[in-house]
Amino acid sequence: MYDFLFVLIPKYFPFLLKGAVVTLQLSVLSMALGILIGLAVALGRLARRPWLDWPLRCYVELWRGVPLVVQLLVIYFTLPQIGLTLSGFWAGVLGLSLNLGAYLSEVFRAAILSLDKGQREAGLSIGMSRNKIYLRVILPQALKIAIPTVGGYFISLLKDSSLVSFIAVNELLRHGSIVIANTFLSMQVYLMVAIIYFVLSFVAARGVHWIEQRLTPAHLRTGTRINASPISSKLTEAKS
Amino acid sequence: MNAEPILQISGLHKAYGDSKILRGVDLTVQRGEVIFLIGPSGGGKSTLLRCINFLETPCAGEITFTGERLCHQDNQIYQQVDESRLRMARSKMPMVFQQFNLFSNRTVLENVIEGPVHVLRRPRQEAIAEARVILDKVGLSARLDYYPDQLSGGQRQRVAIARALAMKPELILFDEPTSALDPELVSGVLDTIRQLAQEGMTMIIVTHEMNFARKLADRICFVADGGILESGSPEQLLATPARNSRIASFIQSMQH
Ligand SMILES: Nc1ncnc2c1ncn2[C@@H]1O[C@H](COP(=O)(O)OP(=O)(O)O)[C@@H](O)[C@H]1O
Ligand SMILES: [Mg+2]
């Protein structure tokens, strides 16, 4: 125990943290790209153009049907064959974001479809253009609906990004493996790696919650109550 | 008659696939007229309003609004003006829906200034000042910062009317504005519509509130089987029963 706290941690923790920084970079970049891909694909599929819909649908089905690690290996080893050489890091970002994009497109599509068409028609009936309606009415609400799920994907991504250690990216897990290769202290090192992953996920989960709260109108936030309307106060009266 | 009509519809057809919903509707609305559409459910009242506003694309027919021909038949082929001109026309004949359809991510005030700022491109401060006046008129000046889900149905519908008024419309289309309301909330909305009628607003109103229609209408149109079967002043249409047995039995059924 003394060794773990006062020898191993000071010696190897900074190296592991460096790996954790790469894990974070990978995750944040992939998430940002994945959200853009997911939104574009969702909007493309909702545009009701068959020539656009079926290729996008093939993408979504294919990417959801193949294990992530296989996708990463395919990208890492086949892109150079066609003359595109990406570093492990960027191959990882590409692989993770394409994978996320496929899943998130379905999340966004479902969120958009869950909004009833009434608000769209109201926008049209006062002369708003379809794009304006999307930008100002539909997307803000759909994104709000999607945020908890997207946040969940981000937390998974922090952990799933460990798969890019297969394509030699020096992220957290691979840094752990390097330390173990030199020290043979697998248990202690994996414990440190686990703790770091846990802290990352925990902080991310709090962050997602904070964003959710920020985007919720004040009167609907849990734990706060301002501007209580006649109806909602009637409801709470009835309950209490 | 005086000036040109504000809205002129002739030979309007609408079908969904094989089912013909509107079969040649003719309707002319003069400036300042309040027209009620009544008739059995499924008769095509909503479809007619939605075609006027081009939420649905007609299959055939001609619609002229404030002197501008929005669609017509050219050698049997249906033609309509491009999307941007349609948008301009729509902004001058907004629709009030049964389900209110307020933008739920926006406050009362934001709902009302959305059209003026983002369609009519008015300066935001001016739009806000006008919206305040309108919301005061519909009795909601104390609710500017509320979100739609903090309001009662009647309040929501009055916001929807305010949103329509903020467009400085030539014509407002109402599709059963009180049908989704609890009975005690209906009168507030009807009062608002009555006030607009007194100010000379041109309106086409679909409703099942017969007494309201009887008192306020310049003209009542009985819509069934995809057409206007009969139209006339409330006295002509409602008071003399036996003229059309369909209308008589419809009105009978409304009394219950
Ligand atoms: N989008 C649609 N697709 C197919 N049929 C429709 C559609 N909208 C309305 N209809 C049909 O058109 C008919 C007239 O409907 P509607 O105009 O809503 O009548 P009303 O408003 O008078 O009750 C109904 O039979 C309805 O089922
Ligand atoms: Mg209807």
Side-chain angles (χ1 to χ4, degrees):
Chain A
M1 192 63 201
Y2 179 87
D3 258 16
F4 183 71
L5 283 179
F6 298 104
V7 181
L8 284 181
I9 287 191
K11 195 154 173 206
Y12 295 113
F13 204 70
F15 183 66
L16 292 179
L17 276 185
K18 250 184 220 160
V21 169
V22 175
T23 288
L24 258 181
Q25 288 170 334
L26 261 176
S27 304
V28 169
L29 272 172
S30 306
M31 194 67 200
L33 274 174
I35 287 175
L36 289 180
I37 296 171
L39 260 181
V41 171
L43 292 176
R45 290 198 58 192
L46 288 167
R48 290 170 212 272
R49 303 254 193 288
W51 58 267
L52 192 58
D53 186 56
W54 82 257
L56 293 178
R57 207 160 128 191
C58 287
Y59 156 67
V60 172
E61 295 304 329
L62 264 175
W63 258 260
R64 293 198 309 175
V66 176
L68 176 56
V69 68
V70 176
Q71 291 175 29
L72 291 168
L73 292 170
V74 168
I75 286 176
Y76 188 58
F77 288 109
T78 59
L79 282 188
Q81 309 277 328
I82 58 165
L84 245 176
T85 311
L86 288 178
S87 68
F89 180 83
W90 287 105
V93 169
L94 184 65
L96 290 172
S97 54
L98 281 174
N99 183 258
L100 260 177
Y103 283 95
L104 291 182
S105 73
E106 289 295 289
V107 173
F108 291 135
R109 210 167 73 96
I112 290 170
L113 289 174
S114 76
L115 297 168
D116 77 335
K117 65 186 197 329
Q119 294 185 50
R120 216 166 307 192
E121 293 189 338
L124 286 175
S125 94
I126 57 169
M128 290 173 78
S129 69
R130 277 162 215 282
N131 290 343
K132 271 251 156 84
I133 293 172
Y134 253 92
L135 271 176
R136 303 193 43 83
V137 180
I138 306 296
L139 284 183
Q141 293 182 58
L143 291 180
K144 204 179 290 176
I145 293 170
I147 273 178
T149 315
V150 174
Y153 274 98
F154 181 68
I155 293 159
S156 301
L157 174 65
L158 280 172
K159 293 168 287 182
D160 294 346
S161 67
S162 57
L163 290 174
V164 300
S165 59
F166 278 88
I167 54 173
V169 181
N170 287 318
E171 43 68 78
L172 175 55
L173 181 60
R174 194 171 150 87
H175 272 203
S177 309
I178 292 170
V179 174
I180 291 167
N182 288 318
T183 60
F184 304 105
L185 297 167
S186 19
M187 193 195 79
Q188 293 90 329
V189 175
Y190 279 134
L191 188 61
M192 280 193 266
V193 168
I195 290 170
I196 297 176
Y197 272 120
F198 175 76
V199 171
L200 286 181
S201 308
F202 184 80
V203 172
R206 301 306 306 162
V208 170
H209 182 74
W210 182 80
I211 292 174
E212 253 176 78
Q213 292 283 310
R214 279 291 304 263
L215 289 179
T216 308
H219 71 281
L220 293 176
R221 277 180 211 162
T222 47
T224 49
R225 167 168 278 283
I226 59 172
N227 264 359
S229 71
I231 307 172
S232 61
S233 52
K234 227 185 260 170
L235 282 178
T236 42
E237 270 162 33
K239 264 189 237 148
S240 54
Chain B
M1 283 298 289
N2 47 359
E4 63 174 334
I6 203 164
L7 177 73
Q8 205 162 10
I9 302 171
S10 64
L12 189 71
H13 286 260
K14 174 68 187 173
Y16 294 107
D18 284 340
S19 59
K20 298 194 169 84
I21 309 300
L22 299 179
R23 315 168 191 215
V25 174
D26 301 313
L27 178 66
T28 300
V29 181
Q30 302 296 336
R31 205 167 277 276
E33 249 191 318
V34 177
I35 297 196
F36 280 82
L37 305 180
I38 62 169
S41 164
K45 303 179 297 296
S46 298
T47 307
L48 175 55
L49 279 195
R50 295 165 61 84
C51 282
I52 294 173
N53 190 277
F54 289 88
L55 281 178
E56 304 287 348
T57 306
C59 298
E62 182 162 333
I63 298 178
T64 304
F65 174 64
T66 59
E68 185 183 20
R69 193 174 64 178
L70 298 175
C71 68
H72 69 287
Q73 293 298 118
D74 184 14
N75 275 331
Q76 316 285 321
I77 304 196
Y78 173 80
Q79 304 274 355
Q80 68 181 31
V81 299
D82 61 33
E83 187 64 28
S84 67
R85 280 173 71 193
L86 274 190
R87 282 206 297 273
M88 280 315 295
R90 279 188 183 130
S91 71
K92 292 293 157 199
M93 51 168 151
M95 188 151 162
V96 173
F97 301 85
Q98 182 174 345
Q99 298 298 338
F100 330 125
N101 297 350
L102 295 179
F103 305 133
S104 41
N105 59 329
R106 311 219 168 261
T107 62
V108 166
L109 185 67
E110 289 167 345
N111 263 278
V112 177
I113 64 169
E114 184 70 23
V117 173
H118 292 278
V119 177
L120 306 179
R121 310 221 162 266
R122 305 282 315 282
R124 194 181 167 83
Q125 288 312 316
E126 275 177 37
I128 290 176
E130 286 173 14
R132 284 177 187 279
V133 174
I134 295 170
L135 283 164
D136 189 40
K137 189 164 112 179
V138 299
L140 285 167
S141 49
R143 297 282 187 277
L144 300 185
D145 296 325
Y146 280 46
Y147 282 87
D149 58 12
Q150 293 173 287
L151 301 176
S152 73
Q155 291 171 330
R156 283 185 220 187
Q157 194 59 297
R158 282 181 281 141
V159 176
I161 294 172
R163 178 172 65 181
L165 286 173
M167 303 308 291
K168 305 205 164 124
E170 302 279 353
L171 165 68
I172 304 181
L173 309 167
F174 290 85
D175 192 358
E176 301 199 29
T178 57
S179 297
L181 298 180
D182 292 337
E184 76 270 21
L185 300 175
V186 168
S187 66
V189 171
L190 295 186
D191 287 343
T192 304
I193 297 174
R194 187 176 295 118
Q195 192 187 344
L196 294 180
Q198 281 157 4
E199 292 168 9
M201 178 63 72
T202 316
M203 298 184 276
I204 304 180
I205 305 170
V206 174
T207 190
H208 292 299
E209 299 281 338
M210 284 306 151
N211 286 326
F212 182 63
R214 195 190 307 263
K215 281 184 213 141
L216 206 65
D218 293 311
R219 189 145 47 103
I220 297 181
C221 300
F222 182 75
V223 179
D225 306 335
I228 297 177
L229 294 194
E230 193 99 26
S231 83
S233 67
E235 299 75 35
Q236 286 171 330
L237 205 79
L238 303 179
T240 46
R243 240 184 41 167
N244 181 324
S245 60
R246 292 268 320 261
I247 303 178
S249 64
F250 171 74
I251 291 165
Q252 186 92 68
S253 72
M254 283 292 108
Q255 312 294 337
H256 302 303

